[in-house]
Amino acid sequence: MNHLSGHPSLTPMLRKLMKWSALDEEDQQAILDLPHEIRRVDRGDYIVREQDKPSHAALLLSGFAYRHKFVGSGGRQILSVHMSGDMVDLQNTLLRTADHNVQALSRAVVAFIPCRAIKELAFGRPRVGMAMWYDTLVDGSIHREWTANVGRRDARARVAHVLCEFGVRLNDGDLGSPCTYEFPMTQEEFADAVGLTPVHVNRTLKALDRDGLTDRAHRSVSIKQWDRLAEIGDFSTNYLHIQDEQGRAGADLPAWRMRP
Amino acid sequence: MNHLSGHPSLTPMLRKLMKWSALDEEDQQAILDLPHEIRRVDRGDYIVREQDKPSHAALLLSGFAYRHKFVGSGGRQILSVHMSGDMVDLQNTLLRTADHNVQALSRAVVAFIPCRAIKELAFGRPRVGMAMWYDTLVDGSIHREWTANVGRRDARARVAHVLCEFGVRLNDGDLGSPCTYEFPMTQEEFADAVGLTPVHVNRTLKALDRDGLTDRAHRSVSIKQWDRLAEIGDFSTNYLHIQDEQGRAGADLPAWRMRP
DNA sequence: CGACGTGTTGAAGGAGCTCAATCTAAGTGG
DNA sequence: CCACTTAGATTGAGCTCCTTCAACACGTCG
């Protein structure tokens, strides 16, 4: 990791929080004024380690990261994937001891904000606090969906589900289109996210291609039949709790987002 | 459900919140003064349904409840189990639309508190708000552990893990001892919690018995060899973020709680 | 160029599933 | 108090989806 003083600003975080709660000028300024330190990290670098007691909360300004934990047998479960604007360890602000790892999935720029500053902001400015709380709640909702994904869906559905979720979230963060994007994970990482082996993920992906649902070349994903893929993956956007800038849940979403 | 005016008080919630954050007299009184309505529910009654837009947050005063969601293929994934004092849908206070179901696992007493009152309390009294936020964060941590449980552990470990977690949480809530308790789920429900079939859960439980790790009779569980069961279940209490009344994480825990 | 990380494919085995029957305990009505 | 009912626990046999192991292909990068 190399350190450098901060040209990149906290705008991505502001952008995200504004989706969750209406913030006035002062709220917005307070967020941007948060003290922070910027670091660039490489693919594979750890941002937080299980058992750490971080004094700073990490915020992803660009690139991708993922959260994961190891199990006794040596396996690894990827718990979520994060993109620009995500607060990858807001929970450590209050929880003190990290219960899982956060690792960079690509080169990334990360802002580290003192936990104390986060707490003061959250409770000094209720609207900001509400937005942060909202964010952690959406995080929890995604965790629940992933539990259901690995617990009760077969391989084809698990894989399809993640492909859909990723497209929607990239789109929602203005980072790509829902049906064509660069997938930031290797198949080994994909496997650890869906609770399968890399071999079987590979076969499942190939099968989706063969059936004309997707079209992949290396890491680039193109979803050819969104509706059918979403159906196979049992995907609906409800659990993402997407809101427009005015904070109306699910308002005016394009048809492909919702499932009847 | 039958309604009745509230003899039972919100004490269990207060008890829980005090573990998460130091609250002064006024904070405590404010919690107990929260407006609420008490309902008794029977086993199987729904407390919240997916897609509901609840105006009240449910709080479990006694009995057990569980959260779950259905997947496309008809299967069901149980996401968490709750006991006295748990706020089973705090998230709906902010998220508006429920993304999963909450159902009673036994006869239970539930308090319904207006969402507005919760929000006012959370942001009017930062220490209370922090405790509530903390609670939702621990909730998220448990979700993560469950994702890893169903995603990356084999049947024996999954089952052992849940048996350990349940004992510790009951003990922590002063509802039982960690090694001997009444398990509130049928094997079918257990199966939906660990992503297995009831048949295989049954075989796995019997195997644990046969190996002298547990001793079950109907629903009552007795853990004979805690250390070995915890080892098999890859269980450690870290992810539960247990704190003592002074808010010191993991302080003075009995030896059986921690794993080196 | 050679080496390494990643993707792809085949073949064989196994953990957990499905289907189906039987057993048990806890009601429930008479 | 007992026959009857029923939900849940238990057990067996066969099958399948996914894993394991192993080899090979491909692209990138020092």
Side-chain angles (χ1 to χ4, degrees):
Chain A
M1 298 192 192
N2 71 66
H3 300 227
L4 72 174
S5 57
H7 262 69
S9 80
L10 300 181
T11 316
M13 177 190 187
L14 174 60
R15 214 188 138 287
K16 180 115 184 271
L17 290 176
M18 288 189 68
K19 290 197 333 190
W20 301 146
S21 170
L23 303 176
D24 65 24
E25 279 291 330
E26 284 190 17
D27 290 333
Q28 297 179 31
Q29 199 53 52
I31 292 169
L32 294 175
D33 288 346
L34 238 19
H36 62 279
E37 181 193 341
I38 305 279
R39 283 189 211 159
R40 294 183 193 284
V41 297
D42 283 326
R43 168 171 169 78
D45 284 353
Y46 274 84
I47 297 170
V48 184
R49 271 178 202 276
E50 193 170 345
Q51 302 289 15
D52 274 359
K53 298 183 189 301
S55 55
H56 295 247
L59 159 67
L60 201 54
L61 293 179
S62 74
F64 296 93
Y66 65 113
R67 309 208 255 165
H68 64 91
K69 52 171 51 178
F70 294 103
V71 300
S73 53
R76 174 181 68 162
Q77 177 66 44
I78 292 183
L79 303 160
S80 58
V81 179
H82 294 278
M83 50 195 70
S84 177
D86 285 357
M87 289 162 281
V88 288
D89 74 330
L90 237 198
Q91 69 277 352
N92 294 319
T93 304
L94 292 180
L95 291 183
R96 294 167 212 230
T97 307
D99 53 65
H100 62 277
N101 307 286
V102 182
Q103 207 171 351
L105 200 47
S106 67
R107 294 187 142 214
V109 178
V110 183
F112 288 86
I113 306 171
C115 292
R116 177 190 302 268
I118 301 248
K119 276 195 234 181
E120 280 167 5
L121 180 56
F123 291 100
R125 299 193 159 270
R127 279 181 302 262
V128 179
M130 208 146 356
M132 292 203 266
W133 193 352
Y134 197 107
D135 192 76
T136 64
L137 291 172
V138 172
D139 220 68
S141 177
I142 295 176
H143 285 326
R144 287 189 286 274
E145 186 66 30
W146 280 44
T147 300
N149 203 40
V150 296
R152 278 290 178 239
R153 291 202 262 256
D154 65 19
R156 193 173 167 87
R158 286 186 215 185
V159 167
H161 192 279
V162 170
L163 292 178
C164 289
E165 176 181 312
F166 216 75
V168 170
R169 285 178 57 200
L170 282 174
N171 180 253
D172 193 52
D174 290 331
L175 296 166
S177 91
C179 294
T180 315
Y181 57 84
E182 286 296 309
F183 195 70
M185 290 194 272
T186 65
Q187 291 183 7
E188 189 175 351
E189 287 156 345
F190 201 158
D192 283 339
V194 293
L196 297 167
T197 57
V199 171
H200 201 62
V201 163
N202 181 276
R203 289 195 234 269
T204 308
L205 283 170
K206 295 237 100 179
L208 292 176
D209 265 21
R210 186 173 358 91
D211 297 346
L213 297 162
T214 57
D215 189 9
R216 291 169 316 110
H218 196 51
R219 299 279 175 83
S220 80
V221 173
S222 171
I223 298 174
K224 290 301 178 194
Q225 302 185 46
W226 176 274
D227 291 345
R228 284 194 55 209
L229 192 69
E231 163 112 26
I232 288 167
D234 188 27
F235 180 80
S236 114
T237 57
N238 298 335
Y239 73 96
L240 295 172
H241 295 278
I242 291 171
Q243 299 195 343
D244 64 12
E245 313 293 307
Q246 278 75 262
R248 283 171 299 155
D252 306 320
L253 291 177
W256 57 263
R257 280 184 163 177
M258 303 299 280
R259 212 183 33 157
Chain B
M1 299 191 193
N2 71 66
H3 301 227
L4 72 171
S5 56
H7 261 68
S9 81
L10 300 182
T11 315
M13 177 190 188
L14 174 60
R15 214 189 138 287
K16 182 117 183 272
L17 290 176
M18 287 189 70
K19 289 198 331 190
W20 301 144
S21 170
L23 303 175
D24 64 24
E25 278 292 329
E26 284 190 15
D27 290 333
Q28 298 180 32
Q29 199 53 52
I31 291 169
L32 294 175
D33 287 347
L34 237 21
H36 62 278
E37 181 193 340
I38 304 279
R39 285 190 210 156
R40 294 183 193 283
V41 298
D42 282 326
R43 168 170 170 79
D45 285 353
Y46 274 84
I47 297 169
V48 184
R49 272 179 201 276
E50 193 169 345
Q51 302 290 14
D52 275 358
K53 296 184 189 300
S55 56
H56 295 249
L59 160 67
L60 201 54
L61 293 179
S62 74
F64 295 94
Y66 64 114
R67 310 208 255 164
H68 63 90
K69 50 171 53 179
F70 295 103
V71 299
S73 53
R76 174 180 68 160
Q77 177 66 44
I78 292 182
L79 303 159
S80 59
V81 179
H82 294 279
M83 49 195 71
S84 176
D86 285 356
M87 290 161 281
V88 287
D89 75 330
L90 236 200
Q91 68 277 353
N92 295 319
T93 303
L94 292 180
L95 292 183
R96 294 166 212 228
T97 307
D99 54 66
H100 61 277
N101 307 285
V102 182
Q103 208 171 352
L105 200 48
S106 67
R107 297 187 139 213
V109 179
V110 183
F112 288 86
I113 306 170
C115 292
R116 177 190 301 268
I118 301 249
K119 277 196 233 181
E120 281 168 4
L121 180 56
F123 292 99
R125 299 193 160 270
R127 278 180 304 262
V128 179
M130 210 149 350
M132 292 204 266
W133 193 351
Y134 197 107
D135 191 77
T136 64
L137 291 172
V138 172
D139 220 66
S141 177
I142 295 176
H143 285 326
R144 288 189 285 275
E145 185 66 29
W146 279 45
T147 301
N149 203 39
V150 296
R152 279 290 179 238
R153 291 202 261 258
D154 66 17
R156 193 171 166 87
R158 287 186 212 185
V159 167
H161 192 280
V162 169
L163 291 179
C164 289
E165 176 181 312
F166 216 75
V168 170
R169 286 177 58 201
L170 281 173
N171 180 253
D172 192 53
D174 290 331
L175 296 165
S177 92
C179 294
T180 314
Y181 56 83
E182 285 297 309
F183 195 69
M185 291 194 271
T186 65
Q187 291 183 6
E188 187 174 354
E189 288 156 343
F190 200 157
D192 283 339
V194 292
L196 298 167
T197 56
V199 172
H200 201 62
V201 164
N202 181 275
R203 289 196 234 269
T204 307
L205 283 169
K206 293 238 102 179
L208 292 175
D209 264 21
R210 185 170 2 90
D211 298 346
L213 297 162
T214 57
D215 189 10
R216 291 169 316 110
H218 195 49
R219 299 279 176 82
S220 81
V221 173
S222 171
I223 298 175
K224 291 301 178 194
Q225 301 185 49
W226 175 273
D227 291 345
R228 283 195 56 208
L229 193 69
E231 162 112 26
I232 288 168
D234 188 27
F235 179 81
S236 116
T237 57
N238 299 334
Y239 73 96
L240 295 173
H241 294 277
I242 291 171
Q243 299 196 345
D244 64 11
E245 314 292 307
Q246 277 76 262
R248 284 170 300 156
D252 306 320
L253 291 177
W256 57 263
R257 280 184 161 177
M258 303 299 278
R259 211 184 32 155

